[in-house]
């Protein structure tokens, strides 16, 4: 079992719709969770971080964390073609420790 | 804030030569820097973790004598690919973290070894 699992996609959504990206992790001691966006040929860009159960909203993005289910998600409201990218879920087990990345989900927003 | 730069952005070298890549945190002090490698259509692979003033910790399967890492200051880490071969051609990305947990990535360096 991979430490961090994501559906590779591609996930296709129409412009203006809500895109829902999911991620599960295997280690229950994981404490910090991150979503990065990576455009083709570019390096990852931090979108959201979340540390406690529940929802965290930042503009069109909402991260959701459920530690009991070992599940973290990212919702993108009013999806735009510019949101088309690979979204990487990353988990940090301990404070200051390295990140474990999922393989990423390809999102395609069609206009 | 939290800007990380890398230099060069792209490098082409002959097989057998060494290439040095610099990673700088521009507006914060990075206690820890990480070096990743990414092959086409694959996810990030962590190569090593480096803390300022100490030796880097390499991931399993990464040759420390081939990928030399120096983290001499809180704003600069370097990765030197020694005796580069075509199979070392890849996208090398660094990230930096202050005493917190969030990693901020540099723009990456694309290495092509002929």
């Amino acid at each position: 079992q991979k430490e961090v699992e994501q559906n590779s996609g591609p996930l296709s959504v129409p412009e203006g719709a809500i895109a829902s990206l999911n991620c599960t992790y295997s280690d229950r001691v994981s404490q910090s969770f991150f979503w990065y966006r990576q455009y083709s040929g570019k390096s990852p860009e931090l979108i959201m971080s979340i540390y406690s159960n529940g929802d965290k909203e930042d503009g069109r993005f909402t991260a959701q964390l459920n530690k009991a289910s070992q599940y973290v998600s990212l919702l993108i409201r009013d999806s735009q073609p510019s949101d088309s990218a690979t979204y990487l879920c990353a988990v940090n087990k301990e404070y200051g420790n390295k990140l474990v990345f999922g393989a990423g989900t390809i999102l395609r927003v069609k206009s | 804030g939290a800007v990380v730069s890398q230099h060069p952005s792209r490098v082409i070298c002959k097989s057998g030569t060494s290439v040095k890549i610099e990673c700088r945190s521009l507006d914060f002090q990075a206690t820890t820097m990480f070096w990743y490698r990414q092959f086409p259509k694959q996810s990030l692979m962590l190569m090593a973790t480096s803390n300022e003033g100490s030796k880097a910790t390499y991931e399993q399967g990464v040759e420390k004598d081939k990928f030399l890492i120096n983290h001499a200051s809180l704003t600069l880490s370097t990765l030197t690919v020694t005796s580069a071969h075509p199979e070392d051609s890849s996208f090398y990305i660094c990230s930096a973290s202050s005493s917190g947990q969030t990693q901020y990535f540099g723009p990456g360096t694309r290495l092509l070894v002929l």
Side-chain angles (χ1 to χ4, degrees):
Chain A
Q1 181 186 8
K2 293 181 180 178
E3 290 191 73
V4 180
E5 296 214 46
Q6 295 180 255
N7 188 320
S8 62
L11 171 66
S12 292
V13 299
E15 184 175 357
I18 296 175
S20 178
L21 304 163
N22 304 315
C23 172
T24 58
Y25 58 95
S26 61
D27 195 331
R28 284 193 171 275
V29 302
S30 300
Q31 297 186 353
S32 306
F33 308 86
F34 305 85
W35 283 100
Y36 287 86
R37 175 175 62 197
Q38 186 175 26
Y39 292 112
S40 181
K42 303 294 184 183
S43 67
E45 171 191 11
L46 179 68
I47 296 178
M48 296 277 287
S49 60
I50 187 166
Y51 306 100
S52 54
N53 281 325
D55 295 359
K56 179 181 178 182
E57 186 174 320
D58 183 0
R60 295 187 296 114
F61 300 98
T62 298
Q64 299 174 320
L65 175 61
N66 184 326
K67 290 187 178 181
S69 300
Q70 295 173 237
Y71 173 93
V72 57
S73 66
L74 179 69
L75 300 178
I76 306 175
R77 290 181 298 281
D78 188 23
S79 296
Q80 302 297 310
S82 58
D83 294 327
S84 298
T86 298
Y87 288 80
L88 302 171
C89 172
V91 175
N92 183 319
K93 293 183 183 180
E94 299 175 26
Y95 188 84
N97 209 340
K98 61 186 181 184
L99 291 177
V100 179
F101 281 87
T105 298
I106 298 171
L107 173 66
R108 292 179 181 158
V109 181
K110 299 184 176 180
S111 56
Chain B
V3 178
V4 178
S5 70
Q6 271 184 254
H7 178 80
S9 58
R10 186 180 298 267
V11 57
I12 301 173
C13 69
K14 292 182 179 180
S15 184
T17 61
S18 295
V19 174
K20 179 185 282 189
I21 302 170
E22 290 187 352
C23 177
R24 293 181 185 272
S25 57
L26 299 184
D27 54 0
F28 68 102
Q29 292 186 323
T31 51
T32 308
M33 287 185 169
F34 303 83
W35 287 95
Y36 295 83
R37 180 167 55 180
Q38 187 175 37
F39 292 106
K41 299 191 185 301
Q42 296 187 23
S43 191
L44 295 167
M45 186 193 82
L46 179 65
M47 300 175 66
T49 302
S50 108
N51 292 295
E52 185 263 340
S54 61
K55 290 184 178 180
T57 302
Y58 290 81
E59 294 301 299
Q60 190 173 12
V62 178
E63 300 175 55
K64 62 179 181 180
D65 293 330
K66 181 170 181 63
F67 298 99
L68 302 178
I69 292 173
N70 183 279
H71 192 165
S73 77
L74 286 172
T75 59
L76 173 65
S77 176
T78 60
L79 167 68
T80 301
V81 183
T82 62
S83 187
H85 291 284
E87 58 266 29
D88 297 323
S89 299
S90 188
F91 191 36
Y92 291 85
I93 312 172
C94 74
S95 71
S97 174
S98 63
S99 56
Q101 304 167 60
T102 303
Q103 290 184 29
Y104 298 94
F105 284 85
T109 297
R110 203 162 294 280
L111 170 64
L112 176 61
V113 184
L114 301 177

